[in-house]
């Protein structure tokens, strides 16, 4: 940005793409006109001559009958103009309203969807939680992205499930492998690689339950499917002859039988009618806590002591019966809805 001000004719400038929903505040223009000599230069995007910050100052100059204003130039990319405009309006001049800031946040999220909530919050002067709420409301129908660009300018993946599984496979094949080598091959941080090793030592899944991603598990790829060579050492905490956590010891991470229900769960989680209502979100949290695939119960089966087998079988059967009744209720509602639609169509008068 050019620091030394230049004098530019007002009619050469393009009005700002302002974040203010109510436009120019005439009372504020009157106040600026009385102290016009002490006002800072207007900020202008040099390639387009669009005002970035200073429309109230330009209005004050016109009110005083002036034809020129002092400006400093901003040379950034065109997609940065609105970001700079919002940030400038946050730090000086007439404060933006909360509605202005939320609308600006929605626009920034639409044009820069990979920006993190904190990065957007820094631009618009809101807290990160409020920006996250704006993102949720404005993201319906948008593709889900697995990266965010933080306020530090660095790219941070949201989901490292596939990388964790890759690290687990490497450590399973070579328990003596250094963590730095794991980092180089997977792209994980040193701390995350260390966490994966600790989990394997404890016989746990390398992916924490709160971070498991059905889609990433489905797409983990060939790196997870490389079989262990005969005689190769087994990672500590994983018993020979027993499937390793997330099947990192030589089998696909998700069985074909589990793929369909996991895909159905993913689609339900992305359905706007469920995502954007309190009851829908509560239902999906309830469902995620009770969702079970073959890989999950097989990992737990060995933990059941012999004297508890009968009780566990009875409990599992009870849960199975409850889910069967739930499924029957869903089928009944589907048929009822279909019958209601058919009845409505049958009773509608025929147009001639």
């Amino acid at each position: 940005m050019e620091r030394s001000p230049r004098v530019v004719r007002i009619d050469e400038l393009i009005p700002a793409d302002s974040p203010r929903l109510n436009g120019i505040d005439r009372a504020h223009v009157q106040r600026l006109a009385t102290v016009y000599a002490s006002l800072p230069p207007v900020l202008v995007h040099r390639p387009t001559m669009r005002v970035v910050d200073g429309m109230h100052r330009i209005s004050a100059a016109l009110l005083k009958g002036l034809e020129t204003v002092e400006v400093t130039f901003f040379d950034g990319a065109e997609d940065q103009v609105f970001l700079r405009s919002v940030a400038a309006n946050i730090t000086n001049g007439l404060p933006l309203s909360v509605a202005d800031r939320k609308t600006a946040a929605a626009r920034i999220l639409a044009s820069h969807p990979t920006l993190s909530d904190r990065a957007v919050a820094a631009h618009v002067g809101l807290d990160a939680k409020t920006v996250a709420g704006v993102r949720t409301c404005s993201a319906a129908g948008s593709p889900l992205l697995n990266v965010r660009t933080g306020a530090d300018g660095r790219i941070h993946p949201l989901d490292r499930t596939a990388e964790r599984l890759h690290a687990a496979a490497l450590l399973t094949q070579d328990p003596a492998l250094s963590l730095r080598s794991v980092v180089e091959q997977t792209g994980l941080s040193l701390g995350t690689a260390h966490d994966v090793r600790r989990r394997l030592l404890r016989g746990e899944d390398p992916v924490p339950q709160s971070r498991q991603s059905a889609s990433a598990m489905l797409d983990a790829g060939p790196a997870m499917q490389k079989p262990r060579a005969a005689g190769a050492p087994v990672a500590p905490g994983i018993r020979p002859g027993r499937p390793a956590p997330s099947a990192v010891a030589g089998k696909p991470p998700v069985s074909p039988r589990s793929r369909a229900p996991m895909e159905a769960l993913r689609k339900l989680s992305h359905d706007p009618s469920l995502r954007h209502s309190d009851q829908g979100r509560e239902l999906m949290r309830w469902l995620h806590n009770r969702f079970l695939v073959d890989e999950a119960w097989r990992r737990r089966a060995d933990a059941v002591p012999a004297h508890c087998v009968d009780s566990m079988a009875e409990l599992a059967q009870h849960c199975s019966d409850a889910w069967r009744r739930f499924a029957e209720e869903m089928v009944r509602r589907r048929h009822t809805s279909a019958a209601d639609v058919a009845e409505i169509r049958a009773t509608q008068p025929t147009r001639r």
Side-chain angles (χ1 to χ4, degrees):
M1 185 174 72
E2 188 175 295
R3 294 295 179 184
S4 56
R6 293 193 179 186
V7 176
V8 174
R9 289 184 57 83
I10 294 176
D11 57 15
E12 294 178 3
L13 301 176
I14 299 174
D17 184 10
S18 175
R20 300 183 187 278
L21 298 176
N22 295 325
I24 299 296
D25 185 320
R26 296 300 170 188
H28 186 60
V29 170
Q30 293 278 357
R31 290 192 293 270
L32 293 181
T34 62
V35 293
Y36 184 80
S38 63
L39 297 179
V42 173
L43 181 60
V44 174
H45 184 231
R46 191 198 307 266
T48 61
M49 294 302 286
R50 181 178 293 278
V51 176
V52 178
D53 178 48
M55 287 303 298
H56 281 94
R57 276 165 274 167
I58 290 175
S59 296
L62 292 172
L63 186 64
K64 292 178 67 67
L66 302 177
E67 296 182 350
T68 61
V69 289
E70 282 193 339
V71 307
T72 53
F73 287 111
F74 166 61
D75 293 304
E78 195 165 350
D79 64 353
Q80 297 295 311
V81 172
F82 185 73
L83 287 172
R84 187 61 184 269
S85 177
V86 176
N89 277 279
I90 293 300
T91 57
N92 59 66
L94 186 67
L96 295 177
S97 68
V98 174
D100 291 337
R101 298 177 191 214
K102 287 185 176 181
T103 302
R107 282 192 57 181
I108 292 172
L109 289 170
S111 61
H112 298 74
T114 63
L115 278 182
S116 69
D117 296 335
R118 290 184 182 278
V120 176
H123 282 291
V124 301
L126 294 170
D127 61 83
K129 288 185 177 179
T130 302
V131 173
V134 174
R135 187 191 297 273
T136 299
C137 293
S138 61
S142 300
L144 297 178
L145 302 175
N146 187 41
V147 295
R148 291 281 187 272
T149 303
D152 57 0
R154 298 174 62 187
I155 295 177
H156 305 274
L158 295 180
D159 187 347
R160 303 308 296 262
T161 299
E163 289 85 350
R164 279 177 170 266
L165 292 173
H166 187 190
L170 294 172
L171 291 169
T172 299
Q173 294 160 13
D174 182 5
L177 188 67
S178 71
L179 291 181
R180 293 200 176 274
S181 180
V182 173
V183 168
E184 291 173 0
Q185 296 184 59
T186 64
L188 291 173
S189 67
L190 190 60
T192 304
H194 186 53
D195 180 64
V196 171
R197 170 168 278 172
R198 284 201 309 263
R199 288 178 170 277
L200 291 179
L201 289 171
R202 296 194 298 263
E204 298 177 358
D205 196 303
V207 184
Q209 187 67 30
S210 61
R211 299 183 184 179
Q212 287 186 4
S213 163
S215 59
M217 295 283 282
L218 289 173
D219 298 326
M224 297 301 96
Q225 302 174 22
K226 183 178 180 181
R228 183 171 62 90
V234 180
I238 300 178
R239 302 179 192 171
R242 178 183 175 186
S246 287
V248 297
K251 294 183 180 180
V254 179
S255 71
R257 184 174 178 177
S258 300
R259 289 176 181 267
M262 291 180 78
E263 180 63 12
L265 181 66
R266 186 188 67 80
K267 289 181 178 179
L268 284 172
S269 299
H270 296 164
D271 190 307
S273 62
L274 292 172
R275 290 177 58 191
H276 300 318
S277 71
D278 291 338
Q279 286 185 329
R281 287 191 293 270
E282 183 179 356
L283 171 63
M284 291 313 301
R285 284 194 294 268
W286 177 85
L287 185 57
H288 273 86
N289 289 335
R290 290 158 178 80
F291 183 72
L292 189 66
V293 293
D294 283 0
E295 290 74 19
W297 73 256
R298 291 184 191 280
R299 289 201 303 270
R300 305 291 185 264
D302 287 350
V304 181
H307 67 278
C308 297
V309 166
D310 290 341
S311 297
M312 191 64 69
E314 182 179 353
L315 182 61
Q317 187 62 56
H318 173 79
C319 293
S320 174
D321 292 341
W323 273 109
R324 178 180 50 78
R325 290 191 292 272
F326 183 85
E328 290 171 351
E329 174 65 12
M330 294 297 100
V331 172
R332 185 190 65 78
R333 292 190 183 186
R334 182 182 65 191
H335 290 317
T336 301
S337 299
D340 290 344
V341 171
E343 183 178 352
I344 291 172
R345 289 177 177 174
T347 56
Q348 286 182 338
T350 304
R351 295 184 180 179
R352 297 183 179 178

